[in-house]
Amino acid sequence: MSSSQALIVPFDPSAPSQAVAGVQPLQLWSLTPSGDKAPKAGATATFYNTPAGKTTTISSVGDGFAAKSSEVKRELVRKSVGAAVKELKAFEGVKEVVVDASLDPHAAAVAAHLALYKFTLKTNVPSPFDPRNAEPAKDKIAFAPVEASAEWDRGVVYAQSQNLARTLAEYPANMITPTAFTERVRKEFEGIANVEIVVRDEAWAAEKGMNVFLSVTHGTSEPAKFLEIIYKGAADKNAAPLAFVGKGITFDSGGISLKPGAGMKLMRGDMGGAAAVVSAALAIAKLQLPIGLVVTTPLTENMPGPSATKPGDMCVSSTP
């Protein structure tokens, strides 16, 4: 039977064995029916009550790890830790996992939190991803490194931001309307220093002559929004900021030029660009990187309707 506490140990099968939190990974691997060849990256084995009271999963980073480039090493660590997490999360009892992140703390943290993620929005309540929840979904497993480090913490921020982008892109269109998207963004950025959130409406867009954008909104009853995120982290306040722009069509039916019905539900993901830039901005702001950043995302649905823009229609400026 598995314990509520577990340990993940990535190991190099060609390196001298070193004990990690009382575990000898090469010695444990020798107990498996693995044959003579070195295990490939991501090959795992799980041992119960090893050490006493814990479940341990060892996971290979592949043969010849030490000779690889730094970028390849980072990817191998991600693959190794990710495979171990996927194995452990199948055990209902596991609630806390300590990760030996010594090979690459950043990569280990990213891999652990990305591998744990699973979007499970259910029609019956409560559901951990229900956007009406007062608190965000809690992770099924809590991770911690064997040795704390700033790079581990940084990797956690990277992964959490990526998982936010995945969540926003997965929501059905009726739960991530332009209004709901902006409300979620405000909530995610609450309490983070040097951030300003500005949400513009259709009247503002009309004043600015954004008629092409507004033409997309004509077929839907959902109000369009224009979201701006301004992050002021640069030491030189006069320096030009970096700009991110993300497409935010929260559902793209094709309008009058209706897309084929097969697979149309996937067009909820046409706001993936907006989800990506917002989530990148969240990581930048949480880490308080020393840059200036402006994020803009036009948000609307593209639907058929009596007022929808027709093929061949011309958009002109507001003033002659």
Side-chain angles (χ1 to χ4, degrees):
M1 181 179 292
S2 63
S3 166
S4 63
Q5 297 181 323
L7 175 67
I8 289 175
V9 183
F11 72 99
D12 180 352
S14 58
S17 180
Q18 294 183 344
V20 178
V23 170
Q24 289 277 2
L26 285 182
Q27 185 179 23
L28 288 177
W29 188 263
S30 69
L31 302 176
T32 67
S34 53
D36 296 331
K37 291 184 178 180
K40 294 181 179 180
T44 61
T46 297
F47 300 84
Y48 305 112
N49 204 35
T50 306
K54 290 185 179 180
T55 299
T56 292
T57 297
I58 58 174
S59 184
S60 173
V61 293
D63 196 24
F65 177 80
K68 307 291 186 183
S69 69
S70 58
E71 289 185 2
V72 172
K73 283 182 179 178
R74 173 158 285 192
E75 185 57 34
L76 290 171
V77 170
R78 281 195 287 257
K79 186 172 184 178
S80 174
V81 173
V85 170
K86 288 179 180 178
E87 180 157 324
L88 278 176
K89 72 179 183 181
F91 302 111
E92 289 295 331
V94 175
K95 302 298 180 184
E96 300 175 2
V97 174
V98 175
V99 181
D100 172 27
S102 56
L103 293 177
D104 189 322
H106 184 282
V110 170
H113 289 85
L114 291 185
L116 180 63
Y117 178 90
K118 182 180 180 181
F119 185 83
T120 53
L121 183 63
K122 300 177 181 178
T123 54
N124 58 312
V125 292
S127 176
F129 285 92
D130 190 330
R132 298 169 297 180
N133 292 344
E135 298 294 330
K138 292 185 178 180
D139 288 337
K140 179 182 176 182
I141 296 173
F143 294 105
V146 171
E147 293 186 10
S149 70
E151 277 302 295
W152 170 276
D153 295 340
R154 189 181 182 94
V156 172
V157 173
Y158 272 50
Q160 289 175 340
S161 297
Q162 290 179 63
N163 285 338
L164 172 62
R166 297 162 84 181
T167 298
L168 292 173
E170 284 286 1
Y171 274 133
N174 65 322
M175 289 187 173
I176 199 69
T177 63
T179 299
F181 188 98
T182 58
E183 290 173 350
R184 177 63 180 265
V185 169
R186 284 190 186 278
K187 189 172 183 179
E188 292 290 338
F189 280 84
E190 278 181 0
I192 301 178
N194 301 318
V195 174
E196 180 183 1
I197 307 291
V198 181
V199 179
R200 314 285 191 178
D201 59 15
E202 291 180 20
W204 175 87
E207 289 175 5
K208 296 298 181 182
M210 301 171 68
N211 292 335
V212 175
F213 167 52
L214 291 172
S215 74
V216 184
T217 73
H218 291 168
T220 179
S221 59
E222 287 289 345
K225 302 292 181 182
F226 193 91
L227 173 66
E228 296 178 49
I229 304 172
I230 301 111
Y231 168 66
K232 300 178 180 178
D236 181 359
K237 302 305 178 184
N238 295 317
L242 183 65
F244 290 167
V245 181
K247 181 182 178 183
I249 307 299
T250 58
F251 190 78
D252 188 4
S253 69
I256 284 181
S257 301
L258 202 63
K259 297 178 183 292
M264 188 189 285
K265 69 177 183 179
L266 298 177
M267 295 313 298
R268 70 187 187 276
D270 213 33
M271 38 62 68
V277 296
V278 162
S279 300
L282 182 62
I284 289 169
K286 280 185 173 181
L287 295 171
Q288 291 292 292
L289 298 186
I291 64 170
L293 175 67
V294 175
V295 176
T296 56
T297 61
L299 296 154
T300 185
E301 293 181 339
N302 181 24
M303 299 290 286
S307 300
T309 299
K310 302 172 288 298
D313 282 1
M314 181 179 294
C315 295
V316 297
S317 60
S318 300
T319 56

